[in-house]
Amino acid sequence: KNTMNNEKSKFTWGHGIIVAIISFMAFIVGLVVYFTSTMKNSELITDNYYQEELMFQSVIDAKNRAEKLTQKPEVKIHTEGLIIHFPKDINNQNAIFKFFLFRTDDKNLDVKRDFKLNDDTYIISSKDLIKGGYTLKLMWKKDYQDYQIDYDIVWK
């Protein structure tokens, strides 16, 4: 009788495989639950992704043109909002300016505007901003040439 009880209570390799499979399944379920709860509101930056993909080469050209400028627009975070300061040689009669301020986690908080420059400065009001991360796409056209610079902004 004593040998029978020892054989029934032994942990065999079969038991080990079952424990390993159950542990692995619990790990995978835990990862799925974790990632679905942390990415509850991730969205694409734009609804017109396909159309914008077709125009991507013009965006690359605009960014390359902006990169070659000796003086670039500067963005400063201030209590009034985001202050965008343009070098004087960018602003002229035929310059057109716009910005897209994309909220990284909620497209309903995006801000998009065309604007004119007064005194080479433009302010995005703090009233339009909520704490969190943004991508600022600053675009302008001067002398029939497109320019674009992107900034990552954290509004506190």
Side-chain angles (χ1 to χ4, degrees), residues 36-134:
T36 56
S37 67
T38 58
M39 296 197 176
K40 60 185 173 200
N41 197 12
S42 63
E43 299 177 8
L44 289 175
I45 288 181
T46 179
D47 291 332
N48 303 321
Y49 180 77
Y50 182 72
Q51 290 84 356
E52 289 188 20
E53 183 68 26
L54 294 175
M55 296 173 53
F56 193 64
Q57 186 59 47
S58 63
V59 172
I60 292 172
D61 294 341
K63 286 182 177 184
N64 287 338
R65 259 186 236 101
E67 188 61 36
K68 291 177 185 174
L69 293 173
T70 54
Q71 291 184 323
K72 299 172 184 65
E74 295 178 3
V75 177
K76 294 184 180 176
I77 297 173
H78 193 269
T79 55
E80 297 175 38
L82 300 176
I83 300 175
I84 305 169
H85 179 73
F86 285 86
K88 293 199 181 297
D89 64 337
I90 290 178
N91 193 13
N92 64 17
Q93 278 81 18
N94 66 2
I96 300 168
F97 301 93
K98 63 180 159 180
F99 71 85
F100 295 145
L101 189 61
F102 293 104
R103 179 65 182 228
T104 52
D105 63 348
D106 188 355
K107 70 178 183 176
N108 297 321
L109 300 174
D110 291 353
V111 181
K112 302 176 185 180
R113 289 205 188 104
D114 295 343
F115 63 94
K116 294 229 182 243
L117 275 182
N118 297 327
D119 300 326
D120 303 318
T121 301
Y122 183 79
I123 297 175
I124 301 172
S125 173
S126 61
K127 295 174 186 174
D128 294 330
L129 303 168
I130 295 176
K131 287 183 182 181
Y134 290 90

Side-chain angles (χ1 to χ4, degrees), residues 23-38:
S23 299
F24 179 72
M25 289 171 41
F27 173 73
I28 295 298
V29 169
L31 282 178
V32 168
V33 168
Y34 172 74
F35 282 114
T36 56
S37 67
T38 58

